[in-house]
Amino acid sequence: MLSRRPLVARIDTAALAHNLGVARRLAPGARILAVIKANGYGHGLAHVADALRAADGFAVLTLDEAAGLRTQGYTHPIVLLEGWFHPDELPEIARLRLRPVVHREDQIDLLTKARLDNRLDVWLKVDTGMHRLGLPPRRVRAAVERLRSAAQVGSITLMTHFACADEPQLGVQAQLDCFRGATEGLKLPVSLANSAALMRYPQTHADWVRPGLMLYGASPFAEHNGEGLGLLPAMTLSSAIIAVQRVRKGEGVGYGAAFVAPRDMDVGVVACGYADGYPRHAGTGTPVLVEGRPTRTLGRVSMDMLAVDLSAVPGAHVGSPVQLWGPGLPVERVAAAAGTVAYELLTAIAPRVRVEVV
Ligand SMILES: *Cc1c(COP(=O)(O)O)cnc(C)c1O
């Protein structure tokens, strides 16, 4: 007997395909490397890859994810965004024709000594100001020379990553200038743009764009949600009311009595908690839909449940549908209420949440 707990993450494959189309229209001259790391941003790697198979390539984090895609028959270019984590992974990376990011010079040393079945196509990462991964700009030319003369290396793609593409004040210009200075005249394919840069800075499109979040229908910008950008949310997280409490004026709701009823009111208890990935930091007032009507959460989120205000939904009862996020209630709004970003909520969806693919 399968559990009938009402919490479900519904994944809309048509929305994923639509969002890929938006990326294509915005960056018509670039190839699209669909970023599907972190289990397809929490949506499920296998069906996300299937819905996005019209992309020109995929980006993942780990060898396991990439090997799974090869096993499923995908022949796309697959980039490993952090390259290999241990030299032992290299032979398999070569055998599966994966494209590792090379971000440290000692990795080039290792590469030039490796015995591999076939030449590796590498993505050389330049640190243009984010100071996370990548070679310093002044070291790029020498590194390219070494890679070009290495028998183990096939093609070289140059990449960098923007720290502030989603921040209207900071933007990409300084990093873009730095990248151009470091790579001028190298005549190699280039990849720069994440979702924010793809949507806001056409001058960053280059040869490959690397959209992630936008493919799932969410916005990287604090000032807009995905629907405002023409994107469709790919995940609907929904559940149902499993109990209704008549709470009297002055009584508390949930742990710590963090919400105290200002008057007599009906409170719905919803089957969804932080062990499902719903953010515990979302306090009273976080938006939620009950029977399609906007209302708010009350008090602290528990491990397996949360409470909602039924004052605005008088007919609500046990079994009434609840939407935590999805069409009509952007995940970005829930994230903002919890002091975080859509990335974190989507990727936090727990394995115990039932997934339904439509
Ligand atoms: C995750 C990631 C992306 C995608 O970023 P979004 O903001 O989700 O579009 C692109 N490039 C690199 C290197 C990444 O790690």
Side-chain angles (χ1 to χ4, degrees):
M1 183 68 187
L2 290 175
S3 165
R4 296 291 303 271
R5 187 166 182 249
L7 181 64
V8 177
R10 203 182 69 238
I11 308 303
D12 182 346
T13 54
L16 289 163
H18 166 88
N19 298 332
L20 178 65
V22 173
R24 275 248 187 263
R25 278 194 298 283
L26 289 172
R31 284 191 280 175
I32 296 184
L33 190 74
V35 180
I36 57 174
K37 62 191 175 186
N39 195 31
Y41 284 48
H43 294 62
L45 183 58
H47 39 267
V48 165
D50 185 42
L52 299 177
R53 61 191 177 278
D56 303 291
F58 294 122
V60 294
L61 193 71
T62 66
L63 178 52
D64 301 30
E65 293 167 312
L69 291 171
R70 286 285 183 255
T71 303
Q72 283 158 42
Y74 294 99
T75 56
H76 299 64
I78 299 178
V79 172
L80 294 173
L81 286 169
E82 296 177 14
W84 59 91
F85 293 96
H86 190 283
D88 286 356
E89 296 178 330
L90 257 182
E92 188 72 353
I93 287 172
R95 199 182 62 78
L96 294 173
R97 298 183 185 277
L98 309 177
R99 305 182 179 202
V101 167
V102 169
H103 59 88
R104 296 195 318 256
E105 286 180 87
D106 65 281
Q107 295 176 320
I108 303 175
D109 304 340
L110 184 90
L111 204 48
T112 56
K113 289 179 205 128
R115 302 170 63 109
L116 304 173
D117 288 351
N118 37 265
R119 285 172 171 254
L120 270 185
D121 295 324
V122 301
W123 283 42
L124 182 66
K125 190 163 190 176
V126 186
D127 174 22
T128 55
M130 185 163 181
H131 300 308
R132 199 174 59 177
L133 294 185
L135 269 59
R138 66 178 188 286
R139 308 289 299 176
V140 170
R141 277 165 209 285
V144 166
E145 280 320 302
R146 292 186 68 202
L147 289 169
R148 274 183 167 147
S149 56
Q152 293 87 344
V153 175
S155 72
I156 305 165
T157 300
L158 297 169
M159 73 179 289
T160 194
H161 192 57
F162 295 121
C164 306
D166 55 331
E167 305 266 352
Q169 309 307 323
L170 299 166
V172 298
Q173 200 56 49
Q175 283 190 259
L176 195 54
D177 292 344
C178 174
F179 184 84
R180 286 185 177 142
T183 62
E184 209 186 332
L186 286 177
K187 296 197 171 66
L188 290 171
V190 163
S191 175
L192 309 171
N194 56 6
S195 296
L198 191 163
M199 288 189 279
R200 191 167 272 170
Y201 301 106
Q203 70 271 36
T204 65
H205 289 171
D207 300 287
W208 285 93
V209 290
R210 305 189 305 270
L213 189 67
M214 70 175 291
L215 298 177
Y216 308 94
S219 160
F221 306 114
E223 333 77 80
H224 307 277
N225 61 45
E227 291 180 34
L229 297 165
L231 303 170
L232 298 174
M235 182 192 295
T236 303
L237 186 66
S238 62
S239 188
I241 289 179
I242 60 167
V244 175
Q245 295 283 349
R246 196 133 290 165
V247 178
R248 300 279 168 211
K249 180 179 177 179
E251 292 179 336
V253 173
Y255 284 118
F259 176 79
V260 175
R263 54 189 150 71
D264 294 359
M265 59 194 291
D266 281 347
V267 173
V269 178
V270 179
C272 178
Y274 61 78
D276 299 300
Y278 194 89
R280 187 177 171 281
H281 294 294
T284 294
T286 302
V288 59
L289 302 178
V290 177
E291 296 197 336
R293 313 259 286 271
T295 181
R296 57 176 184 151
T297 67
L298 299 175
R300 285 193 196 143
V301 174
S302 305
M303 186 182 291
D304 311 310
M305 288 171 275
L306 56 81
V308 295
D309 186 349
L310 297 182
S311 311
V313 201
H317 51 85
V318 168
S320 286
V322 176
Q323 188 182 308
L324 287 320
W325 61 68
L329 175 49
V331 63
E332 296 94 315
R333 285 187 60 205
V334 180
T340 184
V341 290
Y343 296 88
E344 188 179 9
L345 299 201
L346 295 173
T347 59
I349 285 293
R352 79 176 191 186
V353 176
R354 196 148 44 90
V355 174
E356 213 177 272
V357 181
V358 296

